[in-house]
Amino acid sequence: MEMGYWVENRWVWDLKWKERISGEDTLKLGVMKQIISSYSLIKGKKDTWVWTLEGDGHYSVKSAYDLISGLDTTAGVTVFSKLWKACAPSNAVALGWRVLLNRLQTKENLARRNIPIGNLSCPWCGSETESTSHLLFTCGFAWKVWTLLLRWLNLVLVLPDEPSYHFAQFVESCSLLKRNALSAVWLASVGMLWNGRNSVIFREETVDTNDLSERIKLKSWNWLRARQHEFQYSFFEWCNDPLLCLP
């Protein structure tokens, strides 16, 4: 309650810290701000616990069992530690965090929360339900984008459809020193695919896989150039031989 105040019926966050925030904590703070700003507080209403694995918000033994059975805690911590170190801005990392936790506002997730959607089909192919995994990884459109990127990076991989394993497989395909940069490429890719999806749905625009892959190259190059002092390569060099540009 000491970290904000009400302006009429709108809550305004006023985060204060005893010590100065710096380094990696700055990135984590940006992610935290993205998370808390996505919730709308209601004046006069008390907090309640919600079980997010069920559409009605109530706990069930089955959903808890399914979660425990399929969860590798150690692997999850490792994946997130790599995500926090990515050479990318905090909003991009926050989006990646939501992807790994399946918290994107896809049609499937919205329907699970009893939000009326109507057509649940994927905007790329129109033949399957729009889930996080399908939209960003397994749909033919997304798969072609990832294929173009793997060809550009000169990598031969079989990428899983589960987000955390997809991220881990993509990032760990190169040496340790290159992983933070590859994390940036992965974040730029999921970000561009998500933005492209929104352009198709809300602005009825046409999105091309080749154009999308070129925009991913440009975005990741801008991030690396801004966040890695040793990255002094031109965009032409980045496009021509990306792995040679990475430390």
Side-chain angles (χ1 to χ4, degrees):
M1 290 297 295
E2 297 174 355
M3 288 288 190
Y5 52 89
W6 290 103
V7 177
E8 295 181 350
N9 290 321
R10 184 173 66 90
W11 177 261
V12 178
W13 289 104
D14 183 21
L15 304 177
K16 299 176 182 178
W17 312 99
K18 293 182 179 180
E19 299 179 1
R20 182 182 177 185
I21 305 296
S22 60
E24 187 177 337
D25 289 336
T26 304
L27 178 60
K28 293 181 179 179
L29 176 60
V31 174
M32 190 191 77
K33 287 181 177 178
Q34 289 279 339
I35 297 170
I36 63 177
S37 63
S38 65
Y39 293 90
S40 298
L41 304 186
I42 302 174
K43 193 173 183 179
K45 186 174 181 180
K46 294 183 178 181
D47 290 339
T48 58
W49 287 102
V50 176
W51 184 253
T52 58
L53 297 181
E54 293 289 354
D56 59 5
H58 297 302
Y59 172 82
S60 74
V61 174
K62 180 182 184 302
S63 61
Y65 177 80
D66 290 341
L67 175 67
I68 295 171
S69 300
L71 181 62
D72 184 343
T73 306
T74 304
V77 171
T78 303
V79 165
F80 285 113
S81 67
K82 291 183 175 68
L83 183 69
W84 307 139
K85 296 177 183 178
C87 298
S90 59
N91 61 335
V93 175
L95 178 67
W97 177 85
R98 290 166 59 200
V99 170
L100 297 185
L101 292 178
N102 191 24
R103 297 288 177 83
L104 279 184
Q105 292 178 318
T106 59
K107 295 177 182 179
E108 181 184 66
N109 284 341
L110 292 174
R112 190 176 295 148
R113 297 174 187 173
N114 297 321
I115 298 174
I117 298 298
N119 184 7
L120 297 180
S121 62
C122 167
W124 304 133
C125 65
S127 59
E128 294 192 33
T129 300
E130 185 200 71
S131 65
T132 300
S133 294
H134 175 78
L135 179 75
L136 299 180
F137 307 123
T138 62
C139 177
F141 181 92
W143 178 84
K144 185 174 181 180
V145 172
W146 288 107
T147 300
L148 291 170
L149 292 174
L150 291 176
R151 190 178 304 160
W152 165 57
L153 292 166
N154 197 26
L155 297 176
V156 179
L157 299 173
V158 178
L159 294 171
D161 58 358
E162 201 280 324
S164 60
Y165 291 115
H166 190 285
F167 174 74
Q169 182 88 336
F170 187 85
V171 171
E172 293 175 2
S173 59
C174 287
S175 66
L176 181 63
L177 294 176
K178 300 180 188 292
R179 290 177 184 174
N180 292 347
L182 284 181
S183 298
V185 175
W186 191 89
L187 288 171
S189 302
V190 297
M192 282 296 179
L193 283 165
W194 179 247
N195 290 338
R197 171 261 192 197
N198 291 335
S199 296
V200 171
I201 292 178
F202 299 114
R203 294 188 291 275
E204 298 183 352
E205 296 178 357
T206 301
V207 180
D208 178 72
T209 54
N210 290 296
D211 176 64
L212 207 60
S213 64
E214 292 302 314
R215 288 159 61 188
I216 290 168
K217 295 176 187 178
L218 178 61
K219 183 174 285 291
S220 57
W221 175 73
N222 281 325
W223 288 350
L224 292 172
R225 195 173 55 154
R227 295 171 181 273
Q228 283 192 345
H229 297 298
E230 65 274 17
F231 189 87
Q232 299 295 327
Y233 299 93
S234 68
F235 183 58
F236 172 79
E237 291 172 313
W238 174 240
C239 290
N240 191 52
D241 198 341
L243 293 185
L244 186 64
C245 298
L246 300 180

